[in-house]
Amino acid sequence: MNDASESGDPSSHKNFIEVEVEKDFATKPELAGRHVVTRFPPEPNGYLHIGHAKSICLNFGLAKTYSGKCNLRFDDTNPTKENEEYVNSIKTDVQWLGFQWDELFYASDYFGRLYEWALQLIREGHAFVCDLNADQMRDYRGTLTEPGRNSPFRDRSVQENMDLFERMKNGEFVDGERTLRAKIDMGAANLNLRDPVLYRIMHAHHHRTGDAWCIYPMYDWAHGQSDSIEGVTHSICTLEFENHRPLYDWFCRTLRIYHPRQMEFARMNLSYTVMSKRKLLQLVNEKHVSGWDDPRMPTISGLRRRGYTPESLRLFCDKIGVARFSSTIDVIILESSIREHLNAIAPRFMAVLDPIKVVLTNYPTDQTEWMEAVNNPEDPNGGSRQIPFTRELYIERDDFMETPPSKFFRLKPSGEVRLRYGYIIRCDEVVKDSAGNIVQLNCTYDPSTKSGSPSAIERKVKGTIHWVSASQSSEVDVRLYDRLFISETPDEAPEGKSFLDNINPNSVRVVRARVELELAKQAAGARVQFERNGYFCADIKDSIPGVPIFNRIVTLKDTWAKIASKG
Ligand code: ATP
Ligand code: MG
């Protein structure tokens, strides 16, 4: 359904928007000598999410590709839902993603201009003050199959409209008492053209304009004119605005102002994820998550805290291409993007998430051997480190099975396994407590099998497992995150249920892990691979120096199979 899948490699092909932009510049005289100007226009009523990242990459990407400009504009026309915290978080997120706006604008800076334009429409007979309340207006509006009816106030004189509109502005009426509406066509097939509201009365404090205004422009009235003021050439929005385009065009035409081109692409949906700000806000307010930046949230700040890199999010946006029609992207593509990036850059460490003790009964009590471990096999300059090997070790509890199935190649009674960077060991005895729980494995090591030594090459075992020294390791908290929703389409809840009923009750599990000493020294924000376990990031909020708390970003794919075959 998208250009990437239609044409193969997305990076070598233009998306449909780029094709149109090039066509416009080649054919439209009004664009001669100009450069592409785009904008990213968030409403500061919440934190940005991964869907916004798509729009950001697209808008800033176009400006970059065509040596143009991309502005950040806050569409702040809804004072009751917007605030400064959201404004600041949006700026932070855009920059963190790796983009810098050419100019910073606020729709609220245009309140004066928009008011003047409204007066122009009234003077020219294209707008009127309407006294219908919301219910009546809905009633007059008609339906998709029935035309609407003219408001009884539609034929007010210019003089009366000028007077009433000024009094609306001056605060003489209560919220909802009157509106200013465009006079277009109540019989239009497109409902957006049935005398749309331009202004509503709202006695609300605005985070930037304070109490200067008590009438606020509607989205449609503000958006296109803001684009026009800023000289936007291509105003890119999501598909639900396609049938607002005739109105966008009508305003620019009727006002006789510079006329940008609105183009639509499909809103990105992601499986196992909700993306509407309203629902994300509900998750936060009702404390289903710890905040907008909870590492399970699909917000940019949540993904950042989880450990996603800006590169991985840009790669993701690149991979999915620009869709013309609505589509749901498999969250696996997002996960594979971070794996791809971290596979290249993340240093490897050994960490045991669910430790069980191994005692090597034939290993000298006070001996420590320093084993050479490669930091990152994918990075030739990654170097290596020395890790301590001792008589007492920890391995992962599920790397041992007392009565394993036939294809189990890890540790089992009388079985052998290789300890990564170490020796081959054999399990001789399983020690249990009085309740029958396994508490320790007594093993022997084979001194001739030291990793890297010539004699080790002779001896092959099928499994390799990770481990840490019991005496020379640290303990850290690790948060094992899983998807926040159990349903692939959490928005689709059955009658009487909501998306909240699709929340995964086990989306996080905290474990106390045994890890290499080096891991306890990781700074907040450090991203690492725990061998055979996944990619992890030291939480940027809760870690303190010397005591990192690790978030699991994503598991490794086919981990076990891969490591086992390397054995
Ligand atoms: P939501 O419905 O999630 O609240 P919104 O569209 O109301 O989002 P805005 O702040 O108005 O959020 O969006 C800013 C820009 O980001 C708009 O141009 C919008 O089209 C785009 N955008 C928002 N969500 C998505 C998405 N899921 N995929 C692609 N672009 C998006
Ligand atoms: Mg919006």
Side-chain angles (χ1 to χ4, degrees), residues 14-27:
K14 296 184 175 81
N15 64 50
F16 77 95
I17 292 185
E18 290 168 332
V19 169
E20 287 298 304
V21 166
E22 289 186 18
K23 210 194 290 170
D24 286 347
F25 275 90
T27 60

Side-chain angles (χ1 to χ4, degrees), residues 443-494:
C443 302
T444 42
Y445 85 113
D446 179 343
S448 73
T449 59
K450 184 169 176 176
S451 191
S453 69
S455 53
I457 297 166
E458 314 286 298
R459 278 261 266 127
K460 288 258 183 282
V461 288
K462 283 212 164 120
T464 298
I465 62 174
H466 61 276
W467 53 276
V468 293
S469 159
S471 55
Q472 299 183 60
S473 57
S474 299
E475 270 194 318
V476 296
D477 279 339
V478 178
R479 299 166 177 162
L480 300 173
Y481 288 112
D482 202 349
R483 290 171 186 168
L484 187 53
F485 293 96
I486 38 175
S487 160
E488 201 174 328
T489 50
D491 287 317
E492 290 168 19

Side-chain angles (χ1 to χ4, degrees), residues 78-277:
N78 231 334
T80 56
K81 297 197 169 142
E82 300 161 358
N83 66 46
E84 204 59 29
E85 176 194 344
Y86 296 140
V87 167
N88 291 331
S89 75
I90 290 169
K91 288 186 197 166
T92 301
D93 288 350
V94 171
Q95 288 175 321
W96 179 78
L97 274 174
F99 299 102
Q100 184 56 52
W101 47 90
D102 287 283
E103 300 203 61
L104 180 64
F105 294 121
Y106 294 83
S108 55
D109 286 342
Y110 311 138
F111 284 172
R113 291 277 276 285
L114 293 167
Y115 181 77
E116 294 299 324
W117 275 326
L119 295 179
Q120 179 187 333
L121 285 194
I122 295 174
R123 274 196 305 269
E124 296 178 2
H126 296 302
F128 66 100
V129 172
C130 184
D131 300 358
L132 295 180
N133 65 30
D135 285 340
Q136 293 166 322
M137 211 180 291
R138 202 170 305 120
D139 197 40
Y140 273 82
R141 198 165 183 232
T143 64
L144 281 172
T145 50
E146 278 169 46
R149 286 169 293 139
N150 284 352
S151 159
F153 306 98
R154 200 175 198 261
D155 294 322
R156 277 181 164 147
S157 70
V158 168
Q159 200 44 54
E160 192 182 359
N161 282 321
M162 293 292 269
D163 174 61
L164 284 172
F165 187 49
E166 188 176 354
R167 289 166 59 197
M168 278 172 65
K169 172 176 172 271
N170 292 343
E172 291 187 27
F173 309 117
V174 300
D175 288 6
E177 195 176 340
R178 292 196 156 86
T179 55
L180 183 75
R181 299 175 66 181
K183 205 186 278 188
I184 307 181
D185 179 6
M186 288 307 288
N190 183 336
L191 269 65
N192 294 308
L193 296 176
R194 295 186 187 171
D195 294 2
V197 173
L198 309 184
Y199 276 94
R200 63 226 197 271
I201 299 172
M202 207 193 276
H203 292 267
H205 187 84
H206 187 281
H207 68 101
R208 294 191 74 246
T209 59
D211 299 314
W213 296 87
C214 64
I215 55 170
Y216 288 97
M218 300 297 288
Y219 170 90
D220 285 315
W221 176 245
H223 200 90
Q225 284 87 292
S226 302
D227 287 341
S228 176
I229 291 168
E230 294 164 11
V232 167
T233 58
H234 293 83
S235 173
I236 293 154
C237 60
T238 41
L239 223 47
E240 67 272 22
F241 292 101
E242 189 171 22
N243 60 11
H244 292 237
R245 183 165 14 106
L247 183 56
Y248 185 107
D249 293 339
W250 189 91
F251 287 141
C252 287
R253 260 196 336 264
T254 308
L255 292 169
R256 302 178 297 278
I257 58 176
Y258 168 74
H259 193 157
R261 174 174 178 191
Q262 175 182 307
M263 297 181 72
E264 307 85 17
F265 74 106
R267 174 173 284 268
M268 189 237 301
N269 302 304
L270 202 57
S271 64
Y272 295 96
T273 311
V274 301
M275 212 110 83
S276 107
K277 277 187 275 193

Side-chain angles (χ1 to χ4, degrees), residues 162-456:
M162 293 292 269
D163 174 61
L164 284 172
F165 187 49
E166 188 176 354
R167 289 166 59 197
M168 278 172 65
K169 172 176 172 271
N170 292 343
E172 291 187 27
F173 309 117
V174 300
D175 288 6
E177 195 176 340
R178 292 196 156 86
T179 55
L180 183 75
R181 299 175 66 181
K183 205 186 278 188
I184 307 181
D185 179 6
M186 288 307 288
N190 183 336
L191 269 65
N192 294 308
L193 296 176
R194 295 186 187 171
D195 294 2
V197 173
L198 309 184
Y199 276 94
R200 63 226 197 271
I201 299 172
M202 207 193 276
H203 292 267
H205 187 84
H206 187 281
H207 68 101
R208 294 191 74 246
T209 59
D211 299 314
W213 296 87
C214 64
I215 55 170
Y216 288 97
M218 300 297 288
Y219 170 90
D220 285 315
W221 176 245
H223 200 90
Q225 284 87 292
S226 302
D227 287 341
S228 176
I229 291 168
E230 294 164 11
V232 167
T233 58
H234 293 83
S235 173
I236 293 154
C237 60
T238 41
L239 223 47
E240 67 272 22
F241 292 101
E242 189 171 22
N243 60 11
H244 292 237
R245 183 165 14 106
L247 183 56
Y248 185 107
D249 293 339
W250 189 91
F251 287 141
C252 287
R253 260 196 336 264
T254 308
L255 292 169
R256 302 178 297 278
I257 58 176
Y258 168 74
H259 193 157
R261 174 174 178 191
Q262 175 182 307
M263 297 181 72
E264 307 85 17
F265 74 106
R267 174 173 284 268
M268 189 237 301
N269 302 304
L270 202 57
S271 64
Y272 295 96
T273 311
V274 301
M275 212 110 83
S276 107
K277 277 187 275 193
R278 184 178 59 76
K279 289 177 181 163
L280 297 178
L281 182 63
Q282 196 178 347
L283 289 171
V284 173
N285 285 344
E286 296 179 8
K287 305 213 181 322
H288 300 286
V289 293
S290 64
W292 284 99
D293 65 351
D294 185 296
R296 293 163 295 181
M297 289 282 270
T299 50
I300 308 292
S301 51
L303 292 163
R304 171 166 65 237
R305 202 171 151 197
R306 178 79 166 253
Y308 274 80
T309 58
E311 290 88 341
S312 68
L313 297 185
R314 295 199 304 262
L315 176 66
F316 167 69
C317 291
D318 213 41
K319 277 187 189 176
I320 62 176
V322 182
R324 240 185 265 250
F325 307 103
S326 207
S327 61
T328 296
I329 305 292
D330 196 325
V331 72
I332 284 176
I333 301 178
L334 179 64
E335 294 166 352
S336 72
S337 299
I338 186 65
R339 275 194 200 101
E340 202 173 318
H341 188 215
L342 293 183
N343 181 46
I345 63 159
R348 276 59 168 166
F349 290 98
M350 293 204 282
V352 178
L353 300 181
D354 183 10
I356 179 166
K357 189 171 262 186
V358 165
V359 176
L360 303 177
T361 53
N362 62 339
Y363 196 86
T365 311
D366 293 323
Q367 179 170 307
T368 299
E369 274 180 279
W370 292 91
M371 305 302 204
E372 171 136 8
V374 180
N375 289 334
N376 183 354
E378 300 292 323
D379 177 2
N381 304 317
S384 62
R385 68 189 184 286
Q386 304 290 315
I387 49 177
F389 188 90
T390 52
R391 177 183 162 94
E392 296 197 356
L393 310 166
Y394 288 109
I395 66 166
E396 214 67 72
R397 187 168 287 275
D398 66 6
D399 277 337
F400 173 80
M401 275 185 93
E402 200 170 12
T403 45
S406 62
K407 288 265 194 264
F408 186 79
F409 298 128
R410 291 166 280 166
L411 197 59
K412 56 191 171 194
S414 305
E416 288 188 326
V417 77
R418 170 167 286 286
L419 296 178
R420 188 145 170 81
Y421 308 119
Y423 295 96
I424 290 174
I425 62 168
R426 166 191 299 275
C427 178
D428 305 317
E429 189 191 356
V430 180
V431 183
K432 296 182 182 177
D433 64 13
S434 56
N437 303 310
I438 301 173
V439 291
Q440 182 174 311
L441 302 169
N442 290 336
C443 302
T444 42
Y445 85 113
D446 179 343
S448 73
T449 59
K450 184 169 176 176
S451 191
S453 69
S455 53

